Amino acid sequence: MSRTEVLSRTEVLSRTEVLSRRRLLGTAGATGLVLGAAGAAVGYAARPAEATPLTSLGADQVMFHGKHQPGILQGLQARGHVVAFDLAAGAGRKEAAALLRRWSETARRLMAGEAAQQDDTDVARDSGPSALTITFGFGHSFFARTGLEKQRPVALDPLPDFSSDQLDKARSNGDLWVQIGANDALVAFHALRAIQKDAGNAARVRWQMNGFNRSPGATSHPMTARNLMGQMDGTRNPKPTESDFDARIFVPESGSKDPAWMAGGSYAVVRRIRMLLDDWEQLSVKEQEDVIGRRKSDGAPLSGGTETTEMDLEKTDKAGNLVVPINAHARITRPDQNGGAAMLRRPFSYHDGIDTDGVPDAGLLFICWQADPLRGFVTVQRKLDRGDALSKYIRHEASGLFAVPGGAAEGGYVGQGLLEG
Amino acid sequence: MSRTEVLSRTEVLSRTEVLSRRRLLGTAGATGLVLGAAGAAVGYAARPAEATPLTSLGADQVMFHGKHQPGILQGLQARGHVVAFDLAAGAGRKEAAALLRRWSETARRLMAGEAAQQDDTDVARDSGPSALTITFGFGHSFFARTGLEKQRPVALDPLPDFSSDQLDKARSNGDLWVQIGANDALVAFHALRAIQKDAGNAARVRWQMNGFNRSPGATSHPMTARNLMGQMDGTRNPKPTESDFDARIFVPESGSKDPAWMAGGSYAVVRRIRMLLDDWEQLSVKEQEDVIGRRKSDGAPLSGGTETTEMDLEKTDKAGNLVVPINAHARITRPDQNGGAAMLRRPFSYHDGIDTDGVPDAGLLFICWQADPLRGFVTVQRKLDRGDALSKYIRHEASGLFAVPGGAAEGGYVGQGLLEG
Ligand code: HEM
Ligand code: HEM
């Protein structure tokens, strides 16, 4: 990997930040991130007479084609939609292949700032692509419906039940999954409608959720997002610069138990995790920090230092108690506490108004990526289920597991290796 | 009004656009908009060692104190929350006064990028104020509960029933109303929680809704937003440069039938208007344009020209038909078709996932501002109710009418003239 590639891959994992992106101009490399120079990219309907230069937010463009699908390595976007579809009765492999072809073409066009193939709604008109990414995945149930059981990865075997699960089946799983992210809410909504329209008679929406992250430029912090509990979240994500990054996150070209069509792909675990904010916010900052094992202000481990200082797992206070409590979330989720299990967390926060009694229906659309869910999410969640200090303040309400194939080649579509294999 | 004031007031009504704001540096004038120079404003917890300059998005700051409350004249923000509260049983004028004092102090602090008064959740930590505005209003029911009937404006008399209304009472009206807007979703959520926490035992959330607009910089279009039907929306809003702007939007210091405490205030009508997007999107662009009377691509009237060209109401085609149909929305809403009735529309789009059958629960959080609802919203909505071509594609699902007093003086709080009058 060349130096510029390493640099850009590190950067795109950080928050999509206007300044840092500008610095990257021209170093797209393996990530497929194309950077918007002011005025270089304009909305698909910008009329030259009126067009003023786009700021970087609108002009940021991610490539659709590439080794991996977009929406995994790119920085967190300000707005996100996840949507699951079930194939319609009577729709099989042929209809699914045609749908994935339509979807891929729509994704390619919209991510380039062009209009949809037909009947564009005009909702994104005048806007740049705003770092739009569209990502497609296949759920366990897809394979029986299409007669492709033989191609179903073992890794898609249903997640085990966890004792703390309170899952809503109607908002879990599904034949097909689409993740949409963009730094502009209308660009994201536009893409969602185009994807929905493309489904036509082939597939029906099963569930759909909305999320968000910080807007680029809202913070001066170069790296880590905050979640709705107020914590820095993402600090210890695997970094593309680490030598085992690819092996942890992506299915290799060969040598794994995955089917060939998953080469370059990844498995996404999606959990809608409600935060019990009324309870959480009653804790003192000290109590909150003990739950996580990191400082709330700056994300540093309670054993001291700054956000990036290595956590001292053995350090004790004068009374002989561990400084990072034994059940602290950031202690027990560590790869070295889980036989090396690791995942790339790339979540959105969600907030769907209020539930009963004015309590916000809010939390984390937890989305994590790994080469093998058993050596990623499942291992860690088993541990959390047994005694995470955070458990009292969260509730897993929905769940999905999806096989996300590698990126489409030019002229090809996502899942082609599966559907035409 | 001096030239710079006029300029800045025009500009702040336009979309909050990074470029246009930078141009305004130092021309805050009557609007109270303080502009962020890179690095000039930082999040309340930015640590100097790590702080890199904020881009304009985070640094944009709106003043809390002023003649009018914030959130009326400022440009549309990327994220919005509206929330209504009812006073708790037993809470009266005294508790309400204490609550408005707490709320005003929270609004002042948060809009300046500071932490909340107590138990800050840290969700906005590191972020700049991101053009945060917090606006407070009083509903009809507030006055009886606080023994302040004599101070209740006639303008708060309940809106008439409209034949097309399908209102959900539980999501309508309320004693108190708060509007929050910011260009960052975490900054807005943070403010919502702080406002909720301040309510304490004095008031309970009655309903709460979320909305959004374009992110600053997503589009090169300098002026007009689009809504989820894909139309340019806001073109013909009254402009602060027009001589009758203040008289139309704000309650005057004297000479109106309003109580003295409403001087400098405005009345907000809030309608949750569902868009029946599946029906709408089945129309051809031509049919959609006939519904509105303006071109979808650029907002120009169907009689020709550009977005700002005056509509020719009489123009006919060769067959003798009116080019702007007689029931076109943008024809029948015009002040000259409604005895001069006008309002300032400052909406958010909303999208709360899907309803039955995968249809999006989406539309317009229509918020309009006027000195007198009877000579603004009510007159126009009566007309729309009788024959707006748009009616078939929308559904009014919730409604609120609120008296929004003028801005607080330094050291004072919003509604002080009412609660201590
Ligand atoms: C609402 C639920 C959750 C919240 C608020 C949360 C929050 C956090 C925070 C604040 C950190 C420390 C900073 C960082 O390294 O990112 C962290 C670390 C981590 N969390 Fe979570 N988390 C949640 C759920 C989960 C779940 C469900 C899993 C996986 C099953 C998970 C896996 C991890 C991992 C692997 C780390 C990094 C550990 C390390 O390498 O040091 N988290 N989380
Ligand atoms: C979802 C519902 C609505 C949609 C999609 C919509 C859309 C539009 C559009 C596209 C325009 C033309 C561009 C412009 O001048 O902004 C317009 C104008 C206007 N609309 Fe609506 N509108 C809706 C509801 C309403 C309601 C409920 C009212 C008030 C009762 C209203 C009052 C107006 C006014 C006053 C104008 C400007 C007329 C003029 O001065 O030329 N609209 N609307």
Side-chain angles (χ1 to χ4, degrees):
Chain A
M1 201 184 253
S2 75
R3 212 193 148 264
T4 47
E5 281 175 27
V6 173
L7 219 195
S8 66
R9 297 192 65 178
T10 310
E11 284 274 359
V12 289
L13 273 172
S14 72
R15 297 198 55 267
T16 40
E17 222 256 285
V18 173
L19 282 178
S20 65
R21 294 190 152 204
R22 286 205 177 134
R23 254 181 260 128
L24 282 177
L25 213 71
T27 62
T31 60
L33 180 68
V34 172
L35 296 138
V42 285
Y44 57 84
R47 284 141 292 142
E50 292 185 29
T52 54
L54 278 178
T55 64
S56 151
L57 186 146
D60 276 343
Q61 185 182 334
V62 180
M63 295 304 283
F64 174 66
H65 297 294
K67 190 172 172 198
H68 311 301
Q69 284 193 61
I72 306 174
L73 292 174
Q74 284 73 31
L76 303 179
Q77 292 124 320
R79 185 77 178 167
H81 303 295
V82 285
V83 51
F85 292 84
D86 285 334
L87 287 173
R93 176 174 172 172
K94 199 174 127 235
E95 290 76 13
L99 174 56
L100 266 297
R101 191 180 277 285
R102 283 198 298 279
W103 273 354
S104 294
E105 173 62 6
T106 294
R108 188 195 64 72
R109 295 175 65 108
L110 268 46
M111 286 175 54
E114 299 166 17
Q117 296 166 78
Q118 46 175 343
D119 299 337
D120 191 274
T121 60
D122 280 336
V123 168
R125 196 160 182 141
D126 316 317
S127 298
S130 308
L132 176 69
T133 59
I134 306 182
T135 320
F136 304 99
F138 299 93
H140 185 272
S141 54
F142 178 83
F143 296 83
R145 300 218 175 147
T146 47
L148 288 163
E149 289 97 334
K150 290 222 177 95
Q151 293 295 330
R152 187 172 61 212
V154 177
L156 274 191
D157 282 358
L159 297 175
D161 292 334
F162 301 103
S163 66
S164 58
D165 281 355
Q166 298 187 35
L167 304 181
D168 176 356
K169 290 262 156 70
R171 294 203 287 183
S172 295
N173 297 312
D175 294 347
L176 292 157
W177 177 70
V178 187
Q179 172 192 258
I180 295 166
N183 282 325
D184 178 77
L186 280 101
V187 167
F189 183 86
H190 175 253
L192 178 63
R193 286 299 286 166
I195 290 293
Q196 236 186 312
K197 201 170 295 183
D198 279 347
N201 296 324
R204 300 230 169 72
V205 174
R206 178 183 170 90
W207 54 259
Q208 195 269 306
M209 298 172 193
N210 300 334
F212 58 91
N213 285 299
R214 283 243 179 91
S215 296
T219 176
S220 59
H221 196 280
M223 185 67 193
T224 315
R226 284 190 191 266
N227 60 37
L228 298 187
M229 285 177 156
Q231 302 142 357
M232 290 214 162
D233 195 344
T235 302
R236 287 259 304 171
N237 252 338
K239 313 277 181 297
T241 42
E242 292 161 4
S243 59
D244 53 2
F245 181 83
D246 274 2
R248 285 171 151 178
I249 310 305
F250 294 113
V251 173
E253 293 295 325
S254 62
S256 79
K257 58 185 187 312
D258 297 273
W261 64 269
M262 272 298 287
S266 185
Y267 293 93
V269 174
V270 183
R271 307 281 284 193
R272 182 182 172 94
I273 310 182
R274 173 80 156 257
M275 292 175 172
L276 308 178
L277 291 178
D278 273 4
D279 297 337
W280 172 255
E281 292 170 8
Q282 262 157 42
L283 300 183
S284 68
V285 171
K286 166 86 175 74
E287 289 167 327
Q288 291 180 343
E289 291 181 339
D290 280 346
V291 165
I292 296 296
R294 289 182 170 270
R295 273 210 302 262
K296 217 181 161 198
S297 58
D298 61 1
L302 293 183
S303 50
T306 67
E307 187 186 357
T308 51
T309 305
E310 189 59 30
M311 184 179 278
D312 181 348
L313 297 169
E314 315 299 333
K315 186 169 177 180
T316 51
D317 61 18
K318 283 175 188 160
N321 299 314
L322 285 168
V323 170
V324 177
I326 198 78
N327 63 348
H329 179 80
R331 167 193 280 270
I332 66 178
T333 48
R334 288 169 59 92
D336 60 16
Q337 308 294 301
N338 294 285
M343 69 205 83
L344 178 65
R345 292 164 289 137
R346 191 177 182 282
F348 293 92
S349 290
Y350 77 85
H351 172 216
D352 292 340
I354 50 163
D355 201 4
T356 47
D357 254 349
V359 179
D361 180 2
L364 204 58
L365 285 184
F366 178 90
I367 303 175
C368 71
W369 300 90
Q370 55 254 297
D372 179 356
L374 285 184
R375 296 200 300 140
F377 177 80
V378 173
T379 302
V380 176
Q381 182 58 22
R382 278 216 175 95
K383 168 82 71 72
L384 295 180
D385 204 33
R386 279 197 300 272
D388 182 12
L390 191 58
S391 300
K392 278 165 69 178
Y393 307 100
I394 63 176
R395 191 165 65 215
H396 288 241
E397 295 191 332
S399 175
L401 168 60
F402 304 99
V404 174
E410 303 256 351
Y413 63 91
V414 173
Q416 189 162 16
L418 166 64
L419 292 157
E420 298 178 14
Chain B
M1 201 185 250
S2 77
R3 210 190 152 269
T4 49
E5 282 176 27
V6 172
L7 219 194
S8 66
R9 296 192 66 178
T10 309
E11 286 271 358
V12 289
L13 273 172
S14 73
R15 297 199 57 267
T16 41
E17 222 255 284
V18 173
L19 284 179
S20 65
R21 293 190 152 206
R22 286 204 177 136
R23 256 183 259 127
L24 282 178
L25 213 71
T27 60
T31 60
L33 180 68
V34 172
L35 295 138
V42 287
Y44 58 83
R47 284 140 295 140
E50 291 185 29
T52 54
L54 279 178
T55 63
S56 151
L57 185 147
D60 276 342
Q61 186 182 333
V62 181
M63 295 304 282
F64 173 67
H65 296 294
K67 189 172 171 197
H68 311 301
Q69 284 193 63
I72 306 173
L73 292 174
Q74 283 74 31
L76 303 178
Q77 292 123 322
R79 185 76 178 168
H81 302 296
V82 284
V83 51
F85 292 85
D86 284 334
L87 287 174
R93 177 173 172 173
K94 197 173 130 235
E95 290 74 14
L99 174 56
L100 267 296
R101 190 180 276 286
R102 283 198 299 280
W103 273 353
S104 295
E105 173 60 7
T106 293
R108 187 195 64 72
R109 294 174 66 109
L110 270 44
M111 287 175 54
E114 299 167 19
Q117 296 166 77
Q118 46 177 340
D119 299 336
D120 191 275
T121 61
D122 280 337
V123 168
R125 197 159 181 143
D126 315 317
S127 298
S130 308
L132 175 68
T133 59
I134 306 181
T135 320
F136 304 99
F138 299 93
H140 185 272
S141 54
F142 178 83
F143 296 84
R145 299 216 176 148
T146 48
L148 288 164
E149 289 97 333
K150 290 222 178 96
Q151 293 295 330
R152 186 171 63 212
V154 177
L156 274 191
D157 283 358
L159 297 174
D161 293 334
F162 300 103
S163 66
S164 57
D165 281 355
Q166 299 188 32
L167 304 181
D168 177 356
K169 289 262 156 70
R171 293 205 287 182
S172 296
N173 297 311
D175 294 347
L176 292 157
W177 177 71
V178 186
Q179 172 193 259
I180 295 166
N183 282 324
D184 178 77
L186 279 102
V187 167
F189 184 85
H190 175 253
L192 177 64
R193 286 299 286 168
I195 289 294
Q196 236 186 312
K197 202 170 293 183
D198 279 348
N201 296 323
R204 299 227 172 73
V205 174
R206 177 183 171 90
W207 54 258
Q208 195 268 305
M209 298 172 192
N210 300 335
F212 57 91
N213 286 297
R214 283 241 180 92
S215 296
T219 175
S220 59
H221 196 279
M223 183 68 193
T224 314
R226 284 189 192 266
N227 60 37
L228 297 186
M229 285 177 156
Q231 304 141 355
M232 292 215 162
D233 195 343
T235 302
R236 287 259 305 172
N237 250 337
K239 313 278 182 294
T241 41
E242 293 161 4
S243 59
D244 53 1
F245 180 83
D246 274 2
R248 284 171 152 179
I249 310 306
F250 294 113
V251 173
E253 294 294 325
S254 63
S256 78
K257 59 186 187 310
D258 298 274
W261 63 270
M262 273 297 287
S266 185
Y267 293 92
V269 174
V270 183
R271 308 281 285 193
R272 183 181 173 95
I273 310 181
R274 173 80 156 257
M275 291 174 173
L276 309 178
L277 290 178
D278 273 3
D279 297 336
W280 171 256
E281 290 170 9
Q282 262 157 41
L283 300 183
S284 68
V285 171
K286 166 84 173 80
E287 289 167 326
Q288 292 181 343
E289 291 181 340
D290 281 346
V291 165
I292 297 295
R294 289 180 169 270
R295 274 211 301 265
K296 218 181 160 198
S297 58
D298 62 0
L302 294 182
S303 50
T306 67
E307 188 187 354
T308 50
T309 305
E310 189 60 26
M311 182 178 278
D312 181 348
L313 297 170
E314 315 300 335
K315 187 169 177 179
T316 51
D317 61 17
K318 282 178 191 157
N321 299 314
L322 285 168
V323 170
V324 178
I326 198 77
N327 62 349
H329 179 80
R331 168 194 280 271
I332 65 177
T333 48
R334 290 169 59 92
D336 59 16
Q337 309 294 303
N338 294 284
M343 68 205 84
L344 178 67
R345 292 164 288 137
R346 192 176 181 283
F348 293 91
S349 290
Y350 76 86
H351 172 216
D352 291 341
I354 49 164
D355 201 3
T356 47
D357 256 347
V359 179
D361 180 2
L364 203 59
L365 286 183
F366 179 92
I367 303 175
C368 71
W369 300 88
Q370 55 255 295
D372 179 356
L374 285 183
R375 297 199 300 143
F377 177 79
V378 172
T379 302
V380 176
Q381 182 58 22
R382 279 217 174 95
K383 166 83 69 76
L384 295 179
D385 203 32
R386 280 197 300 269
D388 182 12
L390 191 57
S391 301
K392 277 165 70 178
Y393 307 99
I394 63 175
R395 189 165 65 216
H396 288 242
E397 296 191 331
S399 175
L401 167 61
F402 303 99
V404 173
E410 302 256 351
Y413 64 92
V414 173
Q416 190 162 14
L418 167 65
L419 292 157
E420 299 180 11

